[in-house]
Amino acid sequence: MRTAKITRTTAETSIEVEIDLDGTGAYDNQTGIGFFDHMLDQLSRHALIDMRVRAKGDLHIDDHHTVEDTGIALGQALKQALGDKTGIRRYGSCHLAMDDAQVRCALDLSARPFLICNLGFRSGKIGSFDTDLVQEFFQALATHGGITLHVDCLHGHNAHHVAEAAFKSVARALREAVEPDPRRSDAIPSTKGAL
Ligand SMILES: [Mn+2]
């Protein structure tokens, strides 16, 4: 079973994450941050990864710790659920259009964390949500999931659309990368023999 459950508690947040890589995109995400829940729902739905997130964070300060720590826990869960990565496709990419926004994601489940994130938001807020936190989330996910993650916005003016297109393109690329490759279902997809 390619599943994982992570519980992570600090002085700032308490996070529980459960995922199933071979799910149907069923989600139940509650972080106390409405827009972030909406983004996590997109990630689950379009990656076809079942996802349940419960986060209780210090939202009286701001959303930063809760978003970052959820990214850390989700990254840890992905890494754990992938195991030794036997039989996966490893790479994924997606050009995704959403109304005015076009976002491109290319990723490698490489165990070499690296983030390139060029979203170029034209506004600092989506409702009460800081647009900076989109990059913070992807940074935490890439670092703790062992992902080489590139996310670039080609164009788009509405911040809600740019953020949502980013999460959807990452989701769609992730779906491809975690999928079993039926041509080499017994092998780790690297000439090094390990990932
Ligand atoms: Mn939306």
Side-chain angles (χ1 to χ4, degrees):
M1 289 288 280
R2 298 197 304 165
T3 62
K5 184 174 181 178
I6 298 288
T7 303
R8 185 178 186 277
T9 302
T10 70
E12 295 170 343
T13 64
S14 177
I15 317 273
E16 277 178 38
V17 168
E18 281 180 76
I19 61 166
D20 181 349
L21 300 185
D22 301 300
T24 58
Y27 53 83
D28 176 12
N29 302 311
Q30 295 178 23
T31 65
I33 305 165
F35 183 75
F36 187 43
D37 291 349
H38 182 42
M39 294 301 100
L40 293 175
D41 294 350
Q42 303 305 328
L43 194 58
S44 166
R45 177 65 186 83
H46 295 285
L48 299 183
I49 294 174
D50 291 350
M51 189 182 295
R52 181 183 186 276
V53 175
R54 288 291 180 277
K56 282 191 183 19
D58 52 3
L59 301 181
H60 60 285
I61 297 177
D62 70 2
D63 298 346
H64 192 113
H65 301 139
T66 303
V67 171
E68 183 176 24
D69 292 0
T70 299
I72 291 172
L74 259 175
Q76 290 173 338
L78 261 178
K79 192 174 183 177
Q80 187 175 310
L82 282 166
D84 71 1
K85 300 176 185 165
T86 298
I88 66 166
R89 292 191 188 276
R90 176 180 169 183
Y91 297 100
S93 65
C94 177
H95 262 106
L96 191 132
M98 180 176 175
D99 301 337
D100 54 292
Q102 188 184 152
V103 175
R104 178 182 65 207
C105 173
L107 63 81
D108 176 11
L109 300 173
S110 59
R112 293 194 304 278
F114 202 99
L115 178 70
I116 301 282
C117 186
N118 294 308
L119 291 175
F121 287 108
R122 292 193 193 176
S123 77
K125 294 274 191 187
I126 301 165
S128 62
F129 186 83
D130 287 331
T131 51
D132 283 353
L133 296 181
V134 175
Q135 178 162 342
E136 293 302 311
F137 174 81
F138 288 141
Q139 182 68 66
L141 187 74
T143 300
H144 294 269
I147 306 168
T148 305
L149 177 62
H150 295 206
V151 192
D152 293 276
C153 178
L154 282 75
H155 50 80
H157 55 80
N158 179 279
H160 187 123
H161 293 159
V162 170
E164 187 163 341
F167 273 84
K168 285 175 166 172
S169 70
V170 170
R172 195 73 193 200
L174 200 53
R175 169 181 168 176
E176 194 176 302
V178 305
E179 251 173 16
D181 182 347
R183 293 183 65 188
R184 288 305 305 269
S185 58
D186 59 340
I188 293 168
S190 169
T191 54
K192 297 186 175 102
L195 272 175

